Amino acid sequence: MSKEQAETWEAQSESWAGFDVNEFQRQVIAEFRANNGKMSGMFEGWTLAVLTTVGARTGQRRESILGYLDFDGKGIVVASSNGADKHPAWYHNIRKNPIVTVETGTDTYQAIAAIPPGEERDKLFDRVIAEAPGYADHQAKTTREIPVVVLNRIGPKPGEERVKGMGDWIVEVHDWLRGELETLRTQADQLIDGSADKIERTPPDLAQQMRTHCLSFCGALSRHHGGEDAAMFPMLAKQFPALAPALGQLGEEHKVVARLQDDIKQLVDGFVPGESDPVRLRADLERLANQLESHFRYEEETIVTALNATAPAPNFG
């Protein structure tokens, strides 16, 4: 939006007393769709997009026609509301549900809308006004800090291969940990099902294997959870306010998981063939596995999409 376009929009807005703004938006959106994003009249030359959100209170689909920028392949929209003192309704909607649909006229895609905070927002806004100076005038009209919203595409662009994201990597870690737990449970079953003679013949090797598996499992689990709590979770909570409650719950669950992790490590490290109770070992393993599976599923349902859309999988060389 140029400064001239902002002034045109402001002048038009001032003449809207008693005008059905919603009907006007519908007409603009209809023209936008009919002409693949090419506009005439007051919007001629503008780069626009239709953003479809889910109403924060109604749960109904809501369509908004907005100025649209592309920074490094990511869509950018600005919650300027022409410099009004209140955030626009669509912005409240994405705070409640960040999954949106974006129509640029030539492309339609699903995205997860992120709200960069603090310094990151400031840098983005500087870049916005460098390309669209009219937004600086909007900011000057209000004490409200105008949010900049990044539309992170869900899935690849047409014709491009899907790149593995951070969420995919988290699922891979989960699956590896699931496999480690299943190995431990199978070994515990072998102890329970074996005769006393069999336990006397094989326990030294089996006990060593169990200790090795547990140390690998516990180490990976500790690193996995520490990484989430220390870096990913706070980052996601700031950018995606709708995820904050889920991230808080996951953080609390991690404390439970850590305690279970310590319990099972002590149990396996202290396992003495012929003396320790394999039934107790198996029961504790099952308890840990059930707690972890509940955690993993909830985590995968709530944050994997956001992680995939915002960050590539780590490259360990």
Side-chain angles (χ1 to χ4, degrees), residues 5 45 52 82-83 107 114 124 135 151-152 266 277 312:
Q5 288 170 332
T52 301
N82 196 37
D107 185 19
L124 269 175
Y135 287 113
L151 303 172
N152 297 282
Q266 292 173 12
D277 182 2

Side-chain angles (χ1 to χ4, degrees), residues 108 132 147 199 201 255 279-280 283 294 308:
T108 297
I199 291 175
R201 286 196 306 270
K255 297 174 184 177
V279 175
R280 179 187 170 195
S294 175
N308 278 341

